[in-house]
Amino acid sequence: AQSVAQPEDQVNVAEGNPLTVKCTYSVSGNPYLFWYVQYPNRGLQFLLKYITGDNLVKGSYGFEAEFNKSQTSFHLKKPSALVSDSALYFCAVRAIDVGAGSYQLTFGKGTKLSVIP
Amino acid sequence: GAVVSQHPSWVICKSGTSVKIECRSLDFQATTMFWYRQFPKQSLMLMATSNEGSKATYEQGVEKDKFLINHASLTLSTLTVTSAHPEDSSFYICSAARDRNQPQHFGDGTRLSIL
């Protein structure tokens, strides 16, 4: 079974400061990792993914995430937070080596990011 | 690219009504679409996986006869909530993926309110 933990329900950060939203995962085999963002009453928007290659992945809106295999983590980061970054962030995982047709993602419970002006 | 359109965005209807929600991939073909349900302040709960031209695969605890899924083409999947009751009120979100190595792209969701 695969699982995702986002240990913080809420993260508050001042505008202009760096932000980190934490994610750890558990999966059999190699992971395929994602970050999505959700604004109120909207669906999820894809931010970035990691499947292989460089451990530091760059995504949309200046976000990046660092894959750490030994710590089974995939924390989302941004050097300088904007008020418009305030939203709900979801980390998701699935195993790369799955049967044909199996694309299911397991999502974390989400972390609410509030950027304070 | 990779736009997913979900319609309607908001539905309010009486108990006992059946409601159909459409999910379309506008600029790509999706062999697989997913239907999720999201409760307030909670994560997404996968309801079913929909493959074009075949029956949907439902997650444990999801009633197949209540949540009818049809994946008629590579760009359209529909979810019909049959004989809806107040406890079915929720935010329903669909997603679509080009293939197993591509991210899922999500619709904007449908807020369903059953009176």
Side-chain angles (χ1 to χ4, degrees):
Chain A
Q2 53 197 36
S3 64
V4 175
Q6 291 180 243
E8 302 153 316
D9 289 338
Q10 175 140 1
V11 170
N12 298 320
V13 63
E15 186 177 24
N17 283 4
L19 68 88
T20 299
V21 183
K22 296 179 180 177
C23 171
T24 59
Y25 66 90
S26 174
V27 69
S28 297
N30 294 314
Y32 193 7
L33 292 154
F34 302 84
W35 275 101
Y36 287 88
V37 60
Q38 185 180 32
Y39 295 96
N41 295 311
R42 301 292 297 275
L44 276 64
Q45 293 181 29
F46 169 72
L47 280 179
L48 50 81
K49 67 177 181 181
Y50 172 84
I51 182 167
T52 186
D54 287 341
N55 290 341
L56 186 63
V57 178
K58 293 189 183 298
S60 305
Y61 313 119
F63 283 94
E64 57 189 29
E66 186 166 11
F67 172 65
N68 187 315
K69 188 173 183 178
S70 62
Q71 297 184 5
T72 62
S73 67
F74 190 57
H75 301 330
L76 180 71
K77 299 181 180 183
K78 187 172 182 179
S80 179
L82 300 173
V83 173
S84 58
D85 292 330
S86 298
L88 189 57
Y89 290 81
F90 289 98
C91 180
V93 69
R94 73 159 171 87
I96 292 177
D97 305 317
V98 294
S102 179
Y103 302 55
Q104 293 180 11
L105 291 177
T106 296
F107 287 86
K109 63 180 181 179
T111 298
K112 183 178 180 181
L113 173 67
S114 293
V115 181
I116 304 162
Chain B
V3 177
V4 175
S5 173
Q6 189 172 338
H7 179 80
S9 57
W10 200 299
V11 178
I12 302 174
C13 58
K14 294 181 180 180
S15 183
T17 306
S18 291
V19 178
K20 180 185 282 189
I21 303 169
E22 290 187 350
C23 181
R24 295 181 184 271
S25 55
L26 296 185
D27 53 0
F28 67 100
Q29 293 186 328
T31 54
T32 302
M33 291 184 173
F34 302 85
W35 288 96
Y36 296 86
R37 185 172 178 176
Q38 186 179 31
F39 294 98
K41 299 184 179 180
Q42 293 191 28
S43 188
L44 281 71
M45 181 191 78
L46 180 65
M47 298 174 65
T49 302
S50 168
N51 293 298
E52 187 266 338
S54 64
K55 291 183 179 180
T57 302
Y58 289 82
E59 295 300 300
Q60 192 172 9
V62 178
E63 298 177 59
K64 300 178 182 182
D65 294 333
K66 179 156 197 64
F67 299 101
L68 298 179
I69 291 172
N70 182 275
H71 195 152
S73 73
L74 287 172
T75 58
L76 174 64
S77 177
T78 60
L79 167 68
T80 301
V81 183
T82 62
S83 187
H85 291 284
E87 58 267 28
D88 298 323
S89 298
S90 191
F91 193 53
Y92 293 87
I93 307 175
C94 73
S95 72
R98 285 187 176 92
D99 59 51
R100 61 197 302 262
N101 290 324
Q102 297 301 318
Q104 291 181 28
H105 294 278
F106 288 78
D108 274 344
T110 297
R111 183 153 308 279
L112 177 61
S113 297
I114 308 297
L115 304 178

